[in-house]
Amino acid sequence: MIEIRNLTKRYGATVAVDTLSFDVRPGSVTGFLGANGSGKSTTMRLVTGLDAPDAGHARIGGRAYRELRRPLREVGALLEARTFHPGRSAYRHLAALAAGNSIPRRRVDEVLATVGLSAVARRRAGTFSLGMAQRLGIATALLGDPAVLLFDEPVNGLDPAGVRWIRELMRSLAAEGRTVLLSSHLIGEMELTADHLVVIGQGRLLADTSVAELTSGGGTLEEAFFRLTSGSVEYRGIGTSTSTGTGAAPRDEWKEWTA
């Protein structure tokens, strides 16, 4: 289980995550929803140890990410698509990660087959389309056969068949008893994929409930989402740095402010 308690992260004067608390439990897909800049990506970076919180904590099976002896065998994450050396083949990229985490080499072929990249496994990853890069990122997340998985916008660059494949993959992973946290801007797709939803705005928790409960008042999930999040958003850019320190926020991150 992923346990988040009073998690807080600031970048200068900007509060990206504000005393956030929720759990992600095994056996279901938990959808992570929020407008751009709501703090979703920052939260995932805090869970996976890419940033340090200013207050609160994130635990995976009761431990912080930095305490995991072989992280890839316990937690798999896709946070950005192109986190590989462009001159290295997909196979070599995965083989190097496997060797560094005591993962059997056979897993490389297995995950390449799972994501549909076997035929291009020896091609340089830098030549991949965005959709293929996403598939390689998913293969990386699955490499250690982890019980906990985090995916940030995994359908970016995928065609309709690829989006459907992602949906079926997420649900099959949860059905195996894994803990799956899925962030996406495609609310309609989330309605088809997720069992449970965590909705945040301005870094704060707005809802922690099932899809059925959130839409029980009538209407679609999209309508329920906008009822929760509308009316208080003003966007301001806060930098493009990928720093993991306490300076600027991660790349592509924006911040919402109330008037």
Side-chain angles (χ1 to χ4, degrees), residues 59 65 69 78 84 99 101 103 123 159 166 174:
R59 298 282 188 266
Y65 186 88
R69 291 186 58 198
L78 169 63
F84 48 75
N101 287 267
I103 297 169
R123 273 180 51 183
D159 60 17
I166 286 287

Side-chain angles (χ1 to χ4, degrees), residues 1-7 20 22-25 43 46-49 53 55-68 74-75 148 150 179 181:
M1 185 174 75
I2 301 172
E3 177 190 84
I4 293 172
R5 292 292 179 273
N6 298 315
L7 198 62
L20 184 63
F22 65 89
D23 293 330
V24 185
R25 300 182 181 279
T43 299
L46 293 169
V47 172
T48 54
H57 67 258
R59 298 282 188 266
I60 301 166
R63 292 176 293 167
Y65 186 88
R66 65 179 180 275
E67 297 171 353
L68 305 178
E74 299 186 57
V75 182
V148 177
L150 299 90
T179 300
L181 181 62

Side-chain angles (χ1 to χ4, degrees), residues 83-106:
T83 53
F84 48 75
H85 191 291
R88 183 175 286 176
S89 71
Y91 185 90
R92 290 297 180 190
H93 169 69
L94 294 171
L97 291 172
N101 287 267
S102 301
I103 297 169
R105 180 66 69 93
R106 68 175 183 276

Side-chain angles (χ1 to χ4, degrees), residues 215-232:
T215 57
S216 62
T220 65
L221 178 59
E222 183 180 78
E223 291 167 339
F225 172 78
F226 283 119
R227 284 196 298 270
L228 278 172
T229 61
S230 65
S232 63

